[in-house]
Amino acid sequence: MIVRINPFAALEDIGRRRFILGSGALLSASAVALLAGRPALAAEYGKKKGADTQSDIRILNTALGAELEAIAAYGVGAGSGLLQKPALDLALQFQGQHKEHADVLAKTVRKLGGTPVEAKSRYEFPTEQLKTQADVLGFAAGLEKGAVSAYLGAVPLFRERELARAAASILGDEAMHWAVLRQALGENPVPAAFVS
Amino acid sequence: MRCALAVTLALLAAQCGIAAGSTAFPGDPARGAAIYDRCIACHALAYNRTGPKHCGLFGRRAGSVSGFAYSPAMARAKFTWNAETLDRFLENPGRTLPGTTMGYAGIADPRERADLIAWLRQATTESPDCRR
């Protein structure tokens, strides 16, 4: 049995928690700074907290933009008429999982006080190069491989460790997509012990 | 303000060839092609995606691809992309240009950066995608 989980569940109250922790820490730091006669230091501390959150929002929004593009890409693949079952079912399943990623990323951006990016009205894809089912699967595999690298590059940047953990959970899902697509293409599904 | 000044100075230094960058390694484009796979979640050579297109990258002012919505930080940048500025940026994008939306930790290995830059130099000028 597969249990559906929400990797961002620990972040359900992140906005409130940051407010409480942030304001609590700010108050005490402010008090110390003011007592020491250094109000500029207190202001600087508050700015740093805000900068951390803004940085996390930017990373989440970049990931959200890529997820929205992946949803559109799978839509193009599924609608191309080139995919036959069971590859078509796989594409639709993976598209659904990218939608789940996008939903939770957008909600998290909102919780942090940001504005989630929206899907573009138009995406460019190399459709002229997609002539067979293998072309579509290869294109999707490339995007999934890129997504693994993108999340790998994003995980260490999060200031909030729970965000890093949640992003790593998505990374794992993208890696499974990539492996399954490689298998469908007749390639070694797990070509190396590490990803980069 | 101090940070922005430091970034500007660092990038100017890189452009003037003062900073030791990827020039320490010749760079292998074949290996760089494999490293570019890390970029393809967000970038393509010929068209804008989550990140801007790469055709015509060398010699282009940062933040200047038409039709791409840059972060304010990149839009304000006043440097030109070349081997040195790319080397510095790719090592740690967020540190080199705070506020960039390129949420990527960077490529720590200077040889890998040199390989990627060698491939980018070749692909962004000579590939069929960029010649159209």
Side-chain angles (χ1 to χ4, degrees), chain A:
Chain A
M1 184 179 78
I2 301 293
V3 178
R4 297 179 77 81
I5 61 145
N6 173 7
F8 287 75
L11 301 166
E12 286 298 321
D13 67 343
I14 188 169
R16 189 175 61 83
R17 189 152 46 92
R18 275 210 169 172
F19 177 76
I20 291 168
L21 289 174
S23 60
L26 180 58
L27 274 177
S28 75
S30 299
V32 170
L34 286 167
L35 280 173
R38 298 177 67 189
L41 183 64
E44 193 62 33
Y45 186 85
K47 266 193 236 168
K48 184 175 182 308
K49 281 280 176 197
D52 283 354
T53 301
Q54 290 308 311
S55 174
D56 282 351
I57 289 171
R58 273 196 303 275
I59 299 164
L60 290 167
N61 256 335
T62 299
L64 174 57
E67 292 284 359
L68 292 170
E69 189 193 48
I71 293 164
Y74 273 109
V76 168
S80 68
L82 295 169
L83 295 182
Q84 312 301 316
K85 284 178 175 282
L88 177 60
D89 294 336
L90 267 184
L92 292 172
Q93 183 190 357
F94 292 174
Q95 184 192 41
Q97 289 172 345
H98 283 291
K99 284 179 182 170
E100 289 186 52
H101 301 163
D103 286 347
V104 79
L105 288 166
K107 280 180 193 159
T108 308
V109 167
R110 282 194 203 95
K111 281 198 176 90
L112 290 173
T115 304
V117 295
E118 293 183 2
K120 292 182 184 174
S121 56
R122 181 174 165 273
Y123 288 97
E124 286 188 65
F125 298 115
T127 47
E128 73 285 357
Q129 295 169 22
L130 307 179
K131 296 184 169 53
T132 66
Q133 174 165 286
D135 292 340
V136 176
L137 294 177
F139 173 61
L143 290 180
E144 297 287 4
K145 183 183 183 187
V148 170
S149 297
Y151 277 106
L152 188 63
V155 162
L157 297 179
F158 284 109
R159 311 297 214 270
E160 170 71 55
R161 290 179 66 82
E162 285 297 336
L163 284 174
R165 192 168 75 119
S169 170
I170 297 179
L171 187 161
D173 190 56
E174 313 283 25
M176 284 192 279
H177 292 178
W178 181 39
V180 169
L181 289 166
R182 285 180 62 89
Q183 175 93 353
L185 285 162
E187 297 171 0
N188 179 352
V190 187
F194 303 98
V195 293
S196 61

Side-chain angles (χ1 to χ4, degrees), chain B:
Chain B
M1 179 67 186
R2 193 180 301 164
C3 183
L5 183 62
V7 168
T8 305
L9 287 173
L11 287 166
L12 280 172
Q15 286 198 82
C16 295
I18 294 167
S22 61
T23 48
F25 300 100
D28 176 353
R31 284 163 38 116
I35 295 167
Y36 190 71
D37 281 354
R38 300 175 199 171
C39 313
I40 60 174
C42 299
H43 290 280
L45 285 175
Y47 51 93
N48 293 332
R49 296 180 53 209
T50 304
K53 66 181 177 184
H54 283 145
C55 288
L57 177 65
F58 282 74
R60 185 163 74 207
R61 194 180 144 269
S64 69
V65 170
S66 68
F68 185 79
Y70 287 97
S71 63
M74 188 63 85
R76 282 195 305 266
K78 296 195 185 331
F79 62 90
T80 299
W81 291 117
N82 57 37
E84 286 74 26
T85 52
L86 277 169
D87 183 62
R88 192 166 285 271
F89 184 73
L90 290 170
E91 182 180 8
N92 190 328
R95 189 179 64 204
T96 307
L97 195 69
T100 177
T101 50
M102 186 159 145
Y104 185 71
I107 301 172
D109 183 338
R111 188 174 295 276
E112 285 191 351
R113 293 198 302 277
D115 292 339
L116 176 59
I117 290 164
W119 183 81
L120 280 169
R121 185 189 292 280
Q122 195 176 78
T124 58
T125 53
E126 297 172 15
S127 77
D129 281 347
C130 294
R131 283 186 167 175
R132 286 175 193 157

